[in-house]
Amino acid sequence: MDILDPGKLAARYEVSKRERIARQESEAELPTENDEEWIEDEEVGAMPEELSSETGKHWALKGFARNTTFTLVFVISMMTFTRNSACNLFALIMGLFLDIGGTGSQVISTMSNAGVCVSVSTIERLKKILSDDAKKKAVDLMKTGTSFFSIFDNINIYLRKHQQRLFNSNSMIHATNAAVIAIPDIDKTAEDLKIKLDNRGKRANATGADILPTAEDQEKIYGSYVGLVMHMIISYCPGSSTWKHKSEMINMANSKMASDRPLPPEKTDARPLGVFDINEGSKKGIIKMLQSLQETSTLSKDEWAGKTHIVADPGSLAKHKGLLNRTWDAAKPNYADGKALIRHSLIARILYSIMLNQKMTYFSELSNWKPSPEELSTFAHDFVDNFTSTKRADEAKAVNDDYLAHSIYFIRDALMFCEFEHAVSFADTGRILRVFKFWSLSFRGAGLHNYARECLELLVRWKYELDPPLRAALERSWFVNRWGLPGRWIAADLYVEQLNFWVKRVFIAKGAGVTVQYIIEKGSACVEIFREISHKFARTFGHSDHARRHKEVNIEHDLRLLSEGMLSARLHIQTPERPVQSAAKVNRHGKILTPAQSMIIDCYDLGAEILNDGKFDEFICTTTWDPAVGFQGEENGNGESNFVDVLLNGTTFDSTRRNPISTDDYNDVDDGDDIQP
């Protein structure tokens, strides 16, 4: 084995290197077909410092093109595995790494024959073992006595057959993916079912004041709006990277953001439980799913039934879309694309307002703007005062300037959504519930009655029907933090959507292997293990772990186009007689049945009007628990106003009976981190 000594290998290589250099010098004057120099892979040797300290850099200093330690590990593993198949530790990990990365079975079989890795059948057995271990780990959490919540969501996989027959036709797998997530440091009385049941019916004491935003709510929302505007200017204003007091501006913006009761940053103990062959898309399916969870937990029915179970499931944009050549169909919107368009339009309106304030003519002039922290704060306050104010919108409506009023309503609502996302990233339930107060009015006014009802349900239940321990447990169950870092919380249901993505798109079997049984046994509970193995194995062998956070493609050109378009249209300069009207309705004789009217309305005011007109009292009556008769039933009617026809705009949002937005694309489940293995 002396031949494998790195020192002797290096000495031999030095001799061959000198001979090769001499030969290259002698051939340098000979004509060649390609004079380009052969460049070695840039990634070779570009490993993290911690790995360099472990394996050393002597190989590079001695002239080696690769790390000799890695090569020797592979050679020794291949020799021992070829001699004795029981010596397969490295071969097992290597085979699993190849399979996780999507390597075909033919390639893996070839590598197995060469002694590089184990066979495909052995890899499949290993996946079954890892999946069983992952499920056992999740069950152990449920049995330890630690408080936990279970979360599940449906996962649908369409199986397309190339040649359809009676016995081989296209089909759809309807299953349910579940996970168990620990809730540490929670009072055990949160699981006391009797206390929860005793609180039923207390919502009868609720009044309209419980759902209306208070003066304190409006003051905190105002502060958050100012902070959000400052952050967007700091991040996206051309030339902001050269501002002298940028760090001071960021701290000033952070100080203006509201903060109620954010959770301390800590890594969430989330354990996938795997896929169940149950369609939870109905009430019967949910009941069946809960029964399966009880059976999987190995807890007795009495133990399971004696606890409270926390289960979670859960300018006009059209003009800007055309300007930016966004090609998605407005009748079939995608969440990520729609959110990006709203965000870019909001940022462009802020930058356009800076151009107006500074009397600029071209977008490029923004790079010359060098505000002080005080000037930036002053502008942000003025912007929020002028372009999120209902009073300013009413003034614009008074002179029939629907363009300006529409922009004001949009900026207000878009900033509210940004406030919600920021609150989620810091797991601040107080801020989220405050947003729900505004959204309950907005959804009602916009005709989205189901969403308004959910907001009302949360607000009323939180105040009247939850004791403090259960309230704290539920607030913890809303969020997951994969990294234990501040500002990196995500919604718990987004975590399950990410699990669904890995099951459906990344670790899915190939060909005939796509069956619900295979997914249950080998491709769902172990997805987190697969990601960890793939990550650590690649890192061990020198593949640097570059920043895994998603980086947004530069949007400066989009912002320039939008800002200059609004500048030429004088969008934020009040101009009389700029109506946006619905078409008048006429009969066949030409008689006007309904005159044309403005399509720009304040959904907040309209929603408050509807709820004040008896809909809130009806909601309380139909959802309050009565010990004699139970729940009384559903609301009657939708509480539609005379403006309902005005809200129809020819898109999928005209129907409010279902959520029209698709959320199963890669970009939809990307929370800012690279979710690929």
Side-chain angles (χ1 to χ4, degrees), residues 618-670:
E618 183 179 341
F619 166 78
I620 294 298
C621 289
T622 55
T623 60
T624 300
W625 171 264
D626 187 333
V629 297
F631 293 107
Q632 298 183 33
E634 300 292 334
E635 288 184 66
N636 296 319
N638 290 325
E640 296 176 347
S641 70
N642 296 328
F643 286 95
V644 66
D645 292 334
V646 176
L647 297 173
L648 301 181
N649 52 26
T651 70
T652 187
F653 295 100
D654 293 343
S655 172
T656 60
R657 296 186 178 276
R658 62 180 181 85
N659 182 3
I661 303 178
S662 64
T663 56
D664 58 352
D665 187 75
Y666 164 78
N667 293 323
D668 300 323
V669 297
D670 182 11

Side-chain angles (χ1 to χ4, degrees), residues 161-350:
K161 304 296 183 179
H162 177 61
Q163 296 182 354
Q164 295 194 58
R165 300 293 184 270
L166 288 175
F167 55 87
N168 187 46
S169 59
N170 296 341
S171 61
M172 178 77 79
I173 293 177
H174 298 284
T176 301
N177 200 5
V180 179
I181 302 177
I183 313 177
D185 305 324
I186 292 297
D187 192 330
K188 286 299 180 181
T189 58
E191 299 180 356
D192 193 320
L193 182 60
K194 185 178 183 304
I195 295 178
K196 180 178 183 295
L197 296 178
D198 290 343
N199 285 327
R200 289 184 301 178
K202 291 184 178 180
R203 68 176 60 192
N205 300 317
T207 64
D210 296 322
I211 64 168
L212 293 177
T214 63
E216 181 184 3
D217 292 331
Q218 297 186 30
E219 181 181 351
K220 290 191 174 183
I221 287 292
Y222 177 87
S224 291
Y225 279 7
V226 172
L228 288 168
V229 170
M230 292 180 67
H231 274 301
M232 290 179 184
I233 296 174
I234 294 169
S235 300
Y236 295 100
C237 183
S240 61
S241 58
T242 62
W243 291 354
K244 293 182 180 180
H245 305 287
K246 187 174 181 179
S247 59
E248 182 180 346
M249 294 177 182
I250 294 174
N251 293 333
M252 183 180 293
N254 290 334
S255 67
K256 294 181 181 298
M257 300 294 296
S259 180
D260 284 24
R261 49 180 188 276
L263 294 179
E266 57 183 18
K267 190 172 182 179
T268 304
D269 184 7
R271 308 185 186 186
L273 198 54
V275 166
F276 292 77
D277 189 11
I278 298 172
N279 183 2
E280 57 90 40
S282 64
K283 292 181 179 179
K284 290 183 179 179
I286 293 177
I287 293 174
K288 189 175 181 181
M289 184 64 197
L290 292 173
Q291 291 174 342
S292 297
L293 287 175
Q294 179 266 316
E295 295 169 358
T296 303
S297 70
T298 69
L299 296 174
S300 68
K301 291 184 178 181
D302 291 339
E303 291 176 311
W304 184 265
K307 296 183 178 181
T308 297
H309 298 287
I310 303 172
V311 182
D313 185 11
S316 70
L317 289 179
K319 176 68 174 178
H320 287 184
K321 174 177 172 288
L323 282 174
L324 300 178
N325 295 321
R326 306 289 171 86
T327 57
W328 47 273
D329 186 358
K332 298 179 181 178
N334 175 270
Y335 175 76
D337 293 334
K339 185 175 76 170
L341 179 62
I342 291 172
R343 187 165 168 269
H344 296 169
S345 180
L346 172 62
I347 296 170
R349 292 168 201 258
I350 295 173

Side-chain angles (χ1 to χ4, degrees), residues 4 28 31 38 71 104 127-128 179 192 238 253 296 306 352 369 383 390 429 498 504 524 546 559 563 570 577 608 631:
L4 297 179
W38 180 272
T71 306
K127 290 165 71 174
K128 177 68 166 60
D192 193 320
T296 303
Y352 157 60
W369 186 50
F383 179 85
T390 302
T429 310
Q498 292 179 353
K504 293 169 60 175
S524 57
H546 301 292
L559 298 179
S563 299
R570 299 168 57 88
E577 300 305 322
F631 293 107

Side-chain angles (χ1 to χ4, degrees), residues 324-606:
L324 300 178
N325 295 321
R326 306 289 171 86
T327 57
W328 47 273
D329 186 358
K332 298 179 181 178
N334 175 270
Y335 175 76
D337 293 334
K339 185 175 76 170
L341 179 62
I342 291 172
R343 187 165 168 269
H344 296 169
S345 180
L346 172 62
I347 296 170
R349 292 168 201 258
I350 295 173
L351 297 181
Y352 157 60
S353 297
I354 295 176
M355 295 172 66
L356 278 183
N357 181 267
Q358 298 295 315
K359 297 180 174 55
M360 298 177 181
T361 306
Y362 300 102
F363 184 80
S364 57
E365 296 179 64
L366 284 169
S367 59
N368 300 322
W369 186 50
K370 308 292 183 184
S372 66
E374 292 73 20
E375 290 173 338
L376 179 64
S377 176
T378 299
F379 171 81
H381 279 87
D382 291 342
F383 179 85
V384 174
D385 288 337
N386 291 321
F387 297 107
T388 65
S389 167
T390 302
K391 180 181 178 181
R392 284 298 310 277
D394 291 341
E395 292 174 357
K397 293 282 290 181
V399 296
N400 204 20
D401 187 359
D402 282 347
Y403 287 9
L404 177 57
H406 193 191
S407 185
I408 291 173
Y409 292 147
F410 171 82
I411 292 171
R412 180 192 64 185
D413 294 345
L415 284 173
M416 186 67 72
F417 180 74
C418 292
E419 163 68 1
F420 175 78
E421 284 202 318
H422 194 273
V424 171
S425 67
F426 285 90
D428 195 332
T429 310
R431 291 169 64 189
I432 292 174
L433 292 174
R434 182 180 300 113
V435 171
F436 284 170
K437 288 185 178 182
F438 290 89
W439 278 358
S440 65
L441 306 179
S442 179
F443 287 145
R444 263 295 174 181
L448 302 173
H449 312 295
N450 291 338
Y451 294 99
R453 183 186 179 92
E454 291 300 322
C455 291
L456 294 176
E457 177 67 26
L458 280 169
L459 292 171
V460 172
R461 179 181 297 180
W462 236 252
K463 181 169 183 178
Y464 289 100
E465 298 183 344
L466 298 177
D467 61 306
L470 181 55
R471 187 182 299 123
L474 287 172
E475 291 179 359
R476 295 291 293 269
S477 71
W478 283 3
F479 311 102
V480 170
N481 193 324
R482 298 178 59 86
W483 316 104
L485 298 175
R488 299 289 294 275
W489 293 89
I490 62 173
D493 59 343
L494 177 58
Y495 171 72
V496 179
E497 292 292 350
Q498 292 179 353
L499 295 181
N500 287 349
F501 175 81
W502 294 322
V503 171
K504 293 169 60 175
R505 305 289 180 87
V506 182
F507 303 125
I508 190 71
K510 301 175 181 64
V514 186
T515 64
V516 67
Q517 195 62 30
Y518 182 93
I519 294 172
I520 291 173
E521 293 182 354
K522 303 176 182 179
S524 57
C526 51
V527 291
E528 290 279 24
I529 300 175
F530 287 170
R531 295 185 71 243
E532 191 71 13
I533 290 175
S534 175
H535 169 63
K536 287 187 174 181
F537 190 88
R539 187 170 172 78
T540 298
F541 282 88
H543 181 72
S544 299
D545 182 24
H546 301 292
R548 295 167 66 86
R549 297 205 72 181
H550 170 72
K551 293 183 179 179
E552 185 180 35
V553 177
N554 191 297
I555 63 171
E556 183 172 337
H557 295 295
D558 292 15
L559 298 179
R560 176 188 60 78
L561 183 62
L562 294 176
S563 299
E564 292 182 351
M566 289 184 282
L567 187 67
S568 63
R570 299 168 57 88
L571 181 64
H572 285 176
I573 298 176
Q574 184 168 300
T575 305
E577 300 305 322
R578 294 194 295 185
V580 179
Q581 293 182 328
S582 62
K585 290 186 177 181
V586 298
N587 61 16
R588 60 181 180 176
H589 303 295
K591 182 180 179 181
I592 298 178
L593 301 178
T594 304
Q597 54 183 322
S598 174
M599 297 178 65
I600 309 304
I601 62 175
D602 188 345
C603 292
Y604 286 1
D605 286 349
L606 184 57

Side-chain angles (χ1 to χ4, degrees), residues 125-165:
R125 291 199 301 271
L126 176 60
K127 290 165 71 174
K128 177 68 166 60
I129 293 172
L130 291 176
S131 185
D132 291 341
D133 287 346
K135 293 177 183 178
K136 183 178 181 301
K137 186 179 179 182
V139 172
D140 289 343
L141 174 60
M142 292 190 282
K143 295 169 61 178
T144 56
T146 302
S147 297
F148 67 90
F149 73 94
S150 56
I151 181 169
F152 55 82
D153 191 17
N154 63 301
I155 176 171
N156 302 316
I157 303 176
Y158 182 63
L159 304 182
R160 186 187 301 275
K161 304 296 183 179
H162 177 61
Q163 296 182 354
Q164 295 194 58
R165 300 293 184 270

